[in-house]
Amino acid sequence: MKLPKLFEDRMRNLLGDEYEEYLKCYDKPHFGGIRVNTLKISPEEFENLCPFSIKKIPWVSNGYYYDINDQPARHPYYYAGLYYIQEPSAMTPASLLPVKPGEKVLDLCAAPGGKSTELGAKLKGKGLLVSNDISSSRAKALLKNIELFGISNAFVISESPNKLAEYFPEFFDKILVDAPCSGEGMFRKSPSIMQNWEQYGVDYYNKLQKEIIIHAARMLKPGGMMLYSTCTFSPEENEGTIAFLLKECPEFHVVEALPDAEERQRLGVSYDGFDFGKPEWVNGPEELKHCLRLWPHKINGEGHFIALLKKDDKTNDLNFDDTSKEDRKIPPKSKISLSDETVEFLKRIKPLSDVDILLKQNRFYIQQDRVYLIPEGFEEKKGLRTLRQGLFLGEMKKNRFEPSQALAMALKSSDYDQIIDLKSDNQDVIKYLKCETLTTEGRDGLNLVCVDGYPLGWGKLNKNVLKNMYLPGWRWM
């Protein structure tokens, strides 16, 4: 592979004696990875169920390498949301941000959703996940992956970081900033990125990163934690950006990102081959040594940079304008009116069966007969480009309620009283995913269609003929 000469000169200068070893990685294939969705299945259960050859990724407890001759995206388990296909190094940031159920978490540059889906799994349906991407087209892909994973407590937004900072001052417990970057760490996996690097270079992205990280800092609660990551080697974009933040916001400090020995043993992970930050590359403070660097010649993955930061409990004035904060709140909600058919259906769904209690808690939101379940305690803001607010449950129609694809993905097979469970090697699974009509046995009426016990979508059975309700935009092509 021919690398840009300017890049070669920079890397030779940075790596010194290691440069030749680094160059050899370009003669090796990149590694494919899948990350198990722990909302739906444990890593141990997945290992017993997995239809193709896998091998543990040492530093991610639910991550696996797969043989590049396999096609994990062409298996029904992918459509059941049991795993996400992700480059192994890219799994690291979300795995190291210590998210706990019940917290408010922001993924600021979230598309296509690799990190958001892991953060959502860590929340276990409790708390709030705000997943944002400034690109509306990329945010649509993000939304699909959020729903495919069965994440019920997410708001998917497409806004600029500076606008979000106005709406969410000191709001989040944890923030992940996987910043846009020059992509040097992905040259082996995606050689086309080199053209982008030659066109824009390092300085263009470094300016963006500095703007983004300052806006993110404004949204973090005192005592909260923020993880910054890139997939590039450039010191300016990595240690340089963190040094800039530390200078501009002295209430932030770089902390040790790797878990202690006891936690490593519990998780069954190893960080052999990980390198640390280089403060001397940017004439920065010593605490930059707590940052992490992943090099493709030291691990079986691509290049990555990670910095975990903590905000002091008492903050300085960050100069954001919240004078109109009260004006941005949605007015008090009027009484929600659910149709009788909607209430009857929701009572059949175990997690939603206490409809009256959910109504008293203002957990439902209706927009043009579309019904959403809002995360508990979240106060909606007006004026944001929101693609999804909470879990889309379905649509109230004349004399019936039509449940959504997103609701099916958020359920376990035991959550509904009427299912059709197909085996993964049964051709009817593929027919269903292609939105074809099936002939099958079962109880007439609305059924939750599953593969080996994991939901795929809905279907209406009448005299052994299943009318397919799988979302056409998701169908198997």
Side-chain angles (χ1 to χ4, degrees):
M1 181 183 295
K2 182 167 179 54
L3 298 167
K5 186 176 185 308
L6 179 58
F7 173 72
E8 285 187 324
D9 292 342
R10 283 169 56 90
M11 293 301 290
R12 185 181 289 109
N13 181 55
L14 291 175
L15 292 176
D17 294 340
E18 288 186 30
Y19 178 69
E20 293 302 323
E21 184 184 357
Y22 162 75
L23 273 186
K24 291 177 183 176
C25 79
Y26 287 97
D27 296 326
K28 301 174 183 177
H30 73 270
F31 295 87
I34 55 175
R35 196 193 71 251
V36 172
N37 180 3
T38 54
L39 272 178
K40 294 177 178 281
I41 188 172
S42 72
E44 295 75 22
E45 290 170 328
F46 181 74
E47 288 176 14
N48 293 328
L49 193 68
C50 185
F52 33 82
S53 177
I54 55 175
K55 181 182 177 182
K56 282 281 290 180
I57 295 172
W59 61 89
V60 182
S61 62
N62 57 332
Y64 297 86
Y65 298 106
Y66 68 87
D67 191 310
I68 57 174
N69 294 314
D70 288 322
Q71 293 182 297
R74 303 290 289 177
H75 193 279
Y77 292 159
Y78 175 77
Y79 288 78
L82 297 193
Y83 52 82
Y84 188 96
I85 301 170
Q86 189 173 27
E87 192 279 313
S89 293
M91 298 180 191
T92 315
S95 76
L96 293 178
L97 184 60
V99 168
K100 297 176 183 176
E103 292 184 324
K104 295 174 181 175
V105 180
L106 169 66
D107 187 358
L108 185 55
C109 310
K115 297 170 179 67
S116 273
T117 48
E118 175 63 8
L119 298 176
K122 284 185 168 187
L123 285 173
K124 299 180 180 178
K126 299 177 181 178
L128 173 71
L129 173 66
V130 174
S131 294
N132 176 75
D133 200 276
I134 193 171
S135 164
S136 57
S137 60
R138 284 170 54 82
K140 290 175 183 176
L142 167 65
L143 171 60
K144 177 183 176 181
N145 284 319
I146 291 283
E147 294 188 332
L148 183 63
F149 246 54
I151 296 169
S152 61
N153 56 332
F155 272 59
V156 180
I157 297 173
S158 179
E159 283 293 356
S160 62
N162 64 300
K163 186 169 182 179
L164 285 183
E166 294 174 1
Y167 278 73
F168 295 100
E170 295 191 339
F171 181 85
F172 296 101
D173 300 288
K174 305 285 166 60
I175 295 178
L176 193 149
V177 181
D178 187 45
C181 69
S182 60
E184 295 169 348
M186 294 294 158
F187 283 1
R188 175 174 66 169
K189 179 177 181 288
S190 304
S192 60
I193 292 176
M194 284 187 278
Q195 295 178 357
N196 184 76
W197 186 90
E198 290 179 306
Q199 180 179 354
Y200 290 102
V202 166
D203 292 341
Y204 169 82
Y205 288 101
N206 189 217
K207 183 176 182 293
L208 281 178
Q209 292 151 1
K210 289 176 177 177
E211 293 173 358
I212 289 170
I213 202 169
I214 293 297
H215 294 311
R218 294 173 175 173
M219 291 186 273
L220 190 67
K221 284 182 180 178
M225 301 186 82
M226 176 167 67
L227 190 141
Y228 172 86
S229 65
T230 73
C231 58
T232 198
F233 302 126
S234 156
E236 297 92 331
E237 299 178 71
N238 295 327
E239 290 93 345
T241 299
I242 301 303
F244 170 80
L245 174 69
L246 298 178
K247 182 178 178 182
E248 295 294 313
C249 303
E251 67 276 13
F252 277 83
H253 306 281
V254 186
V255 296
E256 174 62 58
L258 300 180
D260 60 28
E262 183 178 345
E263 183 67 2
R264 294 184 200 194
Q265 185 174 9
R266 186 186 72 81
L267 295 172
V269 294
S270 167
Y271 299 96
D272 292 348
F274 276 38
D275 197 4
F276 297 94
K278 313 292 182 184
E280 65 274 15
W281 286 356
V282 295
N283 194 26
E286 283 297 297
E287 62 185 289
L288 293 175
K289 287 184 176 179
H290 294 307
C291 301
L292 298 174
R293 279 184 169 271
L294 282 64
W295 301 97
H297 61 289
K298 293 187 175 183
I299 61 166
N300 290 334
E302 307 305 313
H304 236 82
F305 174 86
I306 292 163
L308 184 61
L309 300 123
K310 185 167 185 180
K311 189 176 190 178
D312 289 342
D313 286 333
K314 299 212 173 188
T315 66
N316 296 325
D317 181 11
L318 287 176
N319 249 346
F320 52 78
D321 175 21
D322 62 351
T323 54
S324 58
K325 182 179 174 184
E326 292 300 318
D327 295 335
R328 297 186 185 114
K329 292 180 182 178
I330 288 290
K333 294 179 181 177
S334 57
K335 187 175 179 180
I336 294 295
S337 179
L338 297 176
S339 67
D340 293 342
E341 294 83 6
T342 301
V343 172
E344 182 183 350
F345 172 79
L346 294 180
K347 285 184 175 180
R348 297 175 63 187
I349 304 290
K350 284 184 183 178
L352 304 173
S353 58
D354 292 329
V355 178
D356 293 337
I357 293 176
L358 292 172
L359 281 167
K360 288 178 181 177
Q361 294 174 341
N362 287 324
R363 295 288 304 281
F364 294 110
Y365 175 74
I366 298 176
Q367 186 179 44
Q368 296 179 341
D369 292 330
R370 292 161 67 93
V371 184
Y372 300 85
L373 181 71
I374 304 299
E376 189 172 4
F378 181 71
E379 194 171 67
E380 188 193 1
K381 317 283 185 177
K382 61 180 177 180
L384 293 174
R385 290 185 294 174
T386 303
L387 280 73
R388 183 70 79 243
Q389 41 197 348
L391 177 63
F392 174 40
L393 298 177
E395 191 169 357
M396 295 187 292
K397 299 197 172 184
K398 187 176 181 180
N399 299 325
R400 64 188 172 93
F401 178 76
E402 189 170 292
S404 71
Q405 180 69 38
L407 175 59
M409 302 310 296
L411 298 178
K412 296 180 174 62
S413 59
S414 58
D415 288 337
Y416 187 66
D417 58 8
Q418 203 164 321
I419 71 168
I420 293 173
D421 194 17
L422 304 171
K423 298 295 182 185
S424 60
D425 56 0
N426 185 333
Q427 282 302 305
D428 278 351
V429 177
I430 308 302
K431 289 181 180 178
Y432 175 76
L433 293 172
K434 288 184 175 181
C435 297
E436 297 176 9
T437 299
L438 303 183
T439 301
T440 187
E441 296 181 352
R443 288 169 52 195
D444 280 1
L446 189 67
N447 281 263
L448 183 62
V449 181
C450 304
V451 55
D452 293 337
Y454 297 96
L456 290 172
W458 302 99
K460 189 170 287 187
L461 193 66
N462 183 25
K463 298 179 181 179
N464 295 338
V465 176
L466 184 75
K467 179 185 176 183
N468 200 318
M469 297 172 65
Y470 191 71
L471 188 64
W474 288 19
R475 67 183 179 274
W476 182 298
M477 301 298 288

